[in-house]
Amino acid sequence: MPDRLRFDATRLANAATASLRAYDPGHDLPALRLRFGAQIAELGSNENALGPSPHAVAAMHAALGDIHRYPDPRGAALKAALSRHWQVDAARIVLGNGSHELLMMLAQCFADAAHSVVFAQYGFAVYPIATAAAGAQPICVPALPRTHASAPLGHDLDAMAAAVRADTRIVYLANPNNPTGTWFDDAALEAFLAKVPSQVLVVVDEAYNEYVDAPGLSSALRLGDRHPNLVVARTFSKAHALAGARVGYLVADASVVAVLERMRESFNLNGVALAGAEAALGDDAHLARVRQFNTHERTWLAAELAQRGYATLPSQTNFLLVDLGREAGDLERQLLERGVIVRPMAGYGLAQTLRVSVGSHEENQRLLSALDALA
Ligand SMILES: *Cc1c(COP(=O)(O)O)cnc(C)c1O
């Protein structure tokens, strides 16, 4: 009889998996929703408070009629829509169960213990995890200083280009970056690409690109034709408000796509998600409303926070990084006691900051009222 008490499979995990920790969601959201009901302000996950396009919701309802069928394993209809939308060949697109899956797959398919992967300090948390899961060596490049004029705590692209070694297979960039909200413009990306050898995949994660209105910043999708090593990751989770449906995609050279397709789970996107994303992509008017609301509301929220003495970093996203200049854990817990959920950043090494999503106007007001009550 095997002895269940002595059996411990954690010792059997392979080396890469042994180096990982299970995802920590931070808050018990179901419990918090029960406790605070409609009085909750969910500002911790950069979700889009306006919700998805009504056309996307209708398409998802309709797709439920086929839920007994397997979805299209190629996602051909969504890829065709993306191909038309971005004017790129469908053979250059991979669909993911969220872009998170694609960011993981890139490291899994292109790097192993013989390779290194470059990413930035205070860059998106998935990059070091993807690197570790592939068993590759991480090269974490120090961020720009807090005093930097345009991108405080943002990516130091010169230092990142200099950190690339002969064994580097991937550089992960987030533009704009989560959790800092910082960005770099098209010219900076072009200068970076000119410095990095072509056998290094440069992954530009544009999860927040739809929110951008800074002059000089468009999308890396514009540059793909000239740089076969450029990989652009996008998601429907943020501005398109389909976080719960799990749809991401990347645009890359067809040879990169061919490699990723070997590893992709055949039915990684469900049929409801495929239908919702395709409809969301077609609703330009809804996206325009989302963008306009976000820019207006973020500007207002940053000003209201500033009036109360809370400094925020410049942002081109749907969140603000609040820099308290002192340990932020107490404030985070006090807000939580009032049903206001924001994201603590100690896990990122930014213990003096809190990341606050731009919520609905009511949610944002609940945040400000809670801060006033604590003052
Ligand atoms: C939210 C986010 C993603 C997207 O995640 P999904 O898996 O597509 O929901 C990717 N990159 C960054 C930087 C993000 O903040």
Side-chain angles (χ1 to χ4, degrees):
M1 270 287 273
D3 182 349
R4 188 167 284 281
L5 289 175
R6 258 193 264 166
F7 181 76
D8 178 8
T10 57
R11 284 177 307 178
L12 307 178
N14 63 29
T17 311
S19 75
L20 297 171
R21 268 187 287 164
Y23 178 67
D24 174 6
H27 301 114
D28 184 351
L29 277 172
L32 289 166
R33 285 173 190 145
L34 276 179
R35 179 169 163 204
F36 293 103
Q39 287 314 303
I40 202 166
E42 295 193 33
L43 306 176
S45 296
N46 300 344
E47 292 148 342
N48 176 352
L50 293 194
S53 155
H55 299 299
V57 176
M60 290 189 285
H61 275 290
L64 281 173
D66 288 325
I67 203 72
H68 59 300
R69 301 286 183 201
Y70 280 101
D72 174 7
R74 297 200 175 90
L78 177 56
K79 274 199 212 169
L82 288 165
S83 165
R84 281 192 303 276
H85 189 84
W86 295 117
Q87 297 291 304
V88 295
D89 193 332
R92 292 186 48 204
I93 301 171
V94 187
L95 302 178
N97 193 272
S99 55
H100 187 159
E101 179 183 56
L102 298 169
L103 296 167
M104 296 292 290
M105 276 169 58
L106 282 161
Q108 200 179 3
C109 294
F110 288 99
D112 60 28
H115 305 123
S116 61
V117 174
V118 172
F119 49 82
Q121 181 188 21
Y122 313 137
F124 187 44
V126 166
Y127 314 148
I129 295 170
T131 305
Q137 300 156 51
I139 300 179
C140 181
V141 178
L144 292 168
R146 202 173 282 257
T147 50
H148 191 272
S150 57
L153 307 179
H155 291 7
D156 184 342
L157 291 181
D158 290 337
M160 292 183 82
V164 169
R165 305 192 305 222
D167 66 2
T168 300
R169 276 290 167 82
I170 299 175
V171 179
Y172 285 110
L173 304 174
N175 196 29
N177 182 45
N178 173 16
T180 57
T182 48
W183 67 95
F184 47 87
D185 64 16
D186 298 345
L189 176 60
E190 290 208 57
F192 181 82
L193 287 164
K195 282 189 239 173
V196 173
S198 64
Q199 79 274 7
V200 179
L201 294 180
V202 175
V203 179
V204 183
D205 179 352
E206 296 192 331
Y208 299 94
N209 181 275
E210 291 87 351
Y211 287 119
V212 164
D213 57 15
L217 172 52
S218 56
S219 166
L221 286 168
R222 229 175 29 87
L223 305 175
D225 290 341
R226 274 180 286 144
H227 298 278
N229 59 327
L230 176 62
V231 178
V232 185
R234 289 281 193 130
T235 181
F236 283 88
S237 295
K238 304 287 158 60
H240 287 293
L242 291 174
R246 314 302 304 132
V247 188
Y249 59 99
L250 62 76
V251 179
D253 187 74
S255 64
V256 172
V257 171
V259 171
L260 293 170
E261 283 293 329
R262 297 175 190 171
M263 188 63 79
R264 187 179 64 81
E265 192 266 307
S266 34
F267 300 104
N268 61 332
L269 273 82
N270 69 75
V272 174
L274 286 168
E278 188 185 343
L281 190 68
D283 195 343
D284 289 336
H286 185 74
L287 188 61
R289 277 192 294 277
V290 165
R291 284 166 51 93
Q292 206 210 348
F293 169 80
N294 185 68
T295 302
H296 182 265
E297 190 72 12
R298 185 186 63 219
T299 308
W300 172 80
L301 182 59
E304 290 289 321
L305 288 167
Q307 259 182 30
R308 292 163 173 81
Y310 297 102
T312 55
L313 267 64
S315 170
Q316 280 283 294
T317 65
N318 67 338
F319 61 86
L320 291 164
L321 193 68
V322 181
D323 190 354
L324 293 184
R326 61 183 157 81
E327 214 278 318
D330 279 348
L331 180 60
E332 191 263 328
R333 283 183 290 275
Q334 288 169 322
L335 289 172
L336 195 60
E337 278 308 303
R338 287 168 166 75
V340 177
I341 304 168
V342 301
R343 185 61 71 96
M345 287 286 119
Y348 271 90
L350 290 168
Q352 304 200 333
T353 70
L354 294 173
R355 196 192 66 195
V356 179
S357 310
V358 177
S360 68
H361 191 64
E362 294 69 33
E363 286 178 303
N364 300 330
Q365 275 174 326
R366 249 172 257 150
L367 163 69
L368 297 172
S369 306
L371 288 173
D372 290 341
L374 291 170

